[in-house]
Amino acid sequence: MTAETNTGPAIGQRHVQTFLLFLSIVVNYMAKFNAGVAIVAMTNSESTNPNFPEYDWDGKQRSYILSSFFWGYIMTQFLGGWLCRRFGARMTMFVSTIGSALLSLLPPWCISWGGWQAYCVIRVAMGLFQGFLFPCIHAHLANWSPVNERNRLGALANTGLDCGTLLAMFASGQIAASSMGWPGIFYISSAVGVAWCIIWLIFGANTPRESKYISDEELNYIETSINSSHTKEAKDLKAKGPIPVPWGAIWSSVPFWALMVTRCCQSWGYSTLQTEMPSYMNGVLLMDMKNNAIFSALPYLTSWVMAFVYVIIADILLTGGIMTITGIRKTINSISFFIPAIILIGIGFLDSEQKTLAVVLMCANVGINAGSTIGSTINTIDLSPNHAGILMGIVNTAGNVVPILTPLLVGVIVTDDHDRVQWQVVFIISAVIFFVGNIIYLIFGQMVNQPWDAPDFLDKQMSSTLQEEGNAKALEAQQSEKVEITTS
């Protein structure tokens, strides 16, 4: 009879860490995506609170503001992975969030004299700080998640993506329409970021062994589970310090490239809706700012709810032995890519007479696409728990080049916000990219630890190379001896 594993308290420190990661994504996403609503309020004060300044920014200038965050964001993904390995997730995530939160205070003070260019500079700096975040989150999950709970805890932490976007869309619109006006959007975003930093410094810990609050049972459970797949030599090597990164093996890994391409395609479709939805609803569906904020937020409420539905379904399929993790990831990713691709095309054919249908379709689109978190986002931990932060840094760098391009492309295609045909072109392009991305993932994606994840991979590779060189030299020496004997 098999002894039951003691996993510690029902709500243990691994759950606390997961919840803190969820909150970190929420507060950073509020600061990251409130610009979509803020810009509409700042350029059309009649739809919110007319007692605050209004700016005459054209479509291209608004596009520069929306994309500028990502100019900085892509620059620090690699640095975030390195800093996490060097100083740990706790301090790196603190610096990332406090920097972004303090910068959130500046737009109301700087835009009045610096215009849209000053807003761009602030958002670039915010992107630089937030670029540290996701490499740390994936590395932190790899350190804290028992093997059989990785899918669940990783997916739960990443539901912060939807919750943060929801709050950025809904709360920002309500704040802009209140007595605080559009400056209140930035003050609230800053306050919640600072509050998270205080909580994180109290409860955050780089590893289970560093936590002040973890029980012995939970510590043993997590460490035993994580170390179970490693040889004794590999464990000893890992205990000595940071594991060398097998850069050559990573860059030549087909499953890793499949993941990166898939995440870029996901980023294209998602960012198109995320940053441009307020403008589309205001221009084509003719919704005022307050209703715009509410209806812009509804898809992300649906997405947040659906994220939990996907987690429950995946957990049942995995723990019940009904499907393997490979089957679960590829099936859910296919649902979350193919169906939204079809819906995107449909959305482009609606007009102001079909507001309700448009909102329903956008809710379905973003809600169904929530499965991509389980489908592909946390695939970095499948491929390499030891290098998850590095992998996420690379993937996020590539994936976040895309949100730089999408607002700029929309700015070129959509010269008139009220022209439905121009928006159709935007949505059809996104649909095609969704479709192609998932086909690549189905063919080449993998959900198992890669050989280069092993802590002693480079040592074995070097030993193998030295052995091959030694064998080659020995064979060469034997051939030389035979030649000498034959000659003599």
Side-chain angles (χ1 to χ4, degrees):
M1 187 175 180
T2 306
E4 186 175 345
T5 303
N6 188 344
T7 62
I11 303 296
Q13 278 303 303
R14 65 189 184 280
H15 304 110
V16 172
Q17 300 300 313
T18 301
F19 182 61
L20 289 173
L21 294 181
F22 161 81
L23 291 178
S24 74
I25 298 173
V26 169
V27 300
N28 280 284
Y29 261 53
M30 286 179 66
K32 181 178 180 179
F33 286 114
N34 60 24
V37 174
I39 286 175
V40 177
M42 295 163 76
T43 55
N44 184 13
S45 61
E46 290 298 323
S47 65
T48 54
N49 188 332
N51 297 323
F52 292 87
E54 180 177 319
Y55 301 96
D56 185 22
W57 296 334
D58 62 32
K60 285 189 177 180
Q61 290 169 342
R62 296 199 302 267
S63 295
Y64 289 140
I65 293 169
L66 291 173
S67 68
S68 59
F69 176 93
F70 299 96
W71 305 346
Y73 194 60
I74 64 170
M75 300 299 292
T76 52
Q77 296 290 324
F78 280 109
L79 180 60
W82 181 83
L83 288 173
C84 186
R85 289 166 64 86
R86 178 70 178 81
F87 300 105
R90 182 173 178 268
M91 187 51 61
T92 308
M93 287 179 66
F94 170 78
V95 170
S96 172
T97 305
I98 196 68
S100 175
L102 294 178
L103 286 165
S104 291
L105 287 171
L106 298 182
W109 306 97
C110 297
I111 293 173
S112 59
W113 56 264
W116 67 271
Q117 296 93 334
Y119 195 7
C120 281
V121 171
I122 292 168
R123 283 184 57 79
V124 169
M126 289 176 65
L128 288 170
F129 276 101
Q130 286 201 29
F132 302 156
L133 187 68
F134 275 95
C136 291
I137 286 174
H138 281 234
H140 202 61
L141 283 168
N143 284 336
W144 274 90
S145 301
V147 173
N148 61 337
E149 295 183 27
R150 278 177 185 159
N151 189 63
R152 183 190 313 142
L153 297 181
L156 288 173
N158 278 278
T159 58
L161 298 170
D162 305 303
C163 185
T165 307
L166 167 66
L167 290 175
M169 293 286 186
F170 177 72
S172 296
Q174 299 304 303
I175 293 168
S178 73
S179 59
M180 296 179 70
W182 60 258
I185 295 174
F186 303 103
Y187 300 146
I188 297 297
S189 294
S190 178
V192 296
V194 171
W196 179 86
C197 288
I198 295 170
I199 297 171
W200 177 246
L201 287 179
I202 296 170
F203 294 103
N206 291 322
T207 64
R209 191 159 288 279
E210 291 183 23
S211 175
K212 301 175 183 177
Y213 309 103
I214 194 169
S215 67
D216 292 337
E217 294 78 12
E218 185 181 14
L219 174 62
N220 181 65
Y221 167 59
I222 295 173
E223 291 189 338
T224 301
S225 176
I226 291 175
N227 292 329
S228 61
S229 60
H230 296 151
T231 63
K232 183 180 184 303
E233 292 77 9
K235 292 176 194 174
D236 292 341
L237 183 62
K238 187 175 180 180
K240 291 179 181 178
I243 303 166
V245 181
W247 292 109
I250 290 174
W251 286 113
S252 59
S253 171
V254 173
F256 172 68
W257 275 99
L259 171 63
M260 185 157 59
V261 170
T262 302
R263 295 311 304 166
C264 287
C265 294
Q266 154 67 15
S267 182
W268 185 287
Y270 192 72
S271 64
T272 298
L273 280 177
Q274 204 166 42
T275 57
E276 302 300 336
M277 191 183 294
S279 297
Y280 170 74
M281 299 182 83
N282 187 257
V284 176
L285 301 183
L286 305 179
M287 294 182 176
D288 64 57
M289 186 58 217
K290 188 170 182 179
N291 286 333
N292 187 343
I294 294 172
F295 289 123
S296 292
L298 274 177
Y300 298 100
L301 174 61
T302 308
S303 180
W304 192 30
V305 172
M306 284 297 297
F308 290 102
V309 173
Y310 280 120
V311 170
I312 293 169
I313 292 173
D315 216 36
I316 292 172
L317 293 174
L318 188 61
T319 56
I322 300 171
M323 292 180 72
T324 64
I325 192 65
T326 298
I328 290 170
R329 293 221 193 285
K330 291 190 175 183
T331 299
I332 291 180
N333 208 67
S334 296
I335 292 170
S336 65
F337 272 51
F338 287 155
I339 296 178
I342 297 169
I343 294 175
L344 266 176
I345 296 174
I347 289 174
F349 288 89
L350 304 180
D351 56 28
S352 59
E353 299 297 319
Q354 299 165 300
K355 291 184 175 71
T356 302
L357 180 58
V359 172
V360 169
L361 287 179
M362 281 189 280
C363 286
N365 186 310
V366 180
I368 293 169
N369 186 243
S372 65
T373 298
I374 287 178
S376 53
T377 300
I378 53 179
N379 184 224
T380 55
I381 304 175
D382 297 330
L383 297 178
S384 178
N386 285 323
H387 305 296
I390 294 294
L391 298 189
M392 190 57 187
I394 300 171
V395 170
N396 234 22
T397 299
N400 282 285
V401 170
V402 172
I404 295 175
L405 302 176
T406 49
L408 300 178
L409 180 66
V410 171
V412 172
I413 296 173
V414 181
T415 55
D416 177 6
D417 282 352
H418 302 285
D419 191 329
R420 186 180 64 175
V421 175
Q422 294 177 357
W423 284 103
Q424 287 173 356
V425 175
V426 171
F427 292 141
I428 289 172
I429 290 172
S430 296
V432 171
I433 291 173
F434 260 145
F435 186 84
V436 172
N438 191 61
I439 292 296
I440 292 172
Y441 192 60
L442 288 176
I443 297 172
F444 300 108
Q446 291 184 12
M447 289 78 212
V448 294
N449 282 13
Q450 298 301 293
W452 40 266
D453 176 62
D456 55 352
F457 173 78
L458 289 177
D459 288 342
K460 287 183 176 179
Q461 192 177 50
M462 185 177 293
S463 297
S464 177
T465 301
L466 291 174
Q467 186 175 2
E468 288 177 5
E469 290 177 355
N471 291 338
K473 288 179 180 179
L475 181 60
E476 185 179 344
Q478 288 177 0
Q479 290 175 343
S480 297
E481 289 178 6
K482 287 181 181 179
V483 170
E484 288 177 2
I485 293 172
T486 303
T487 304
S488 58

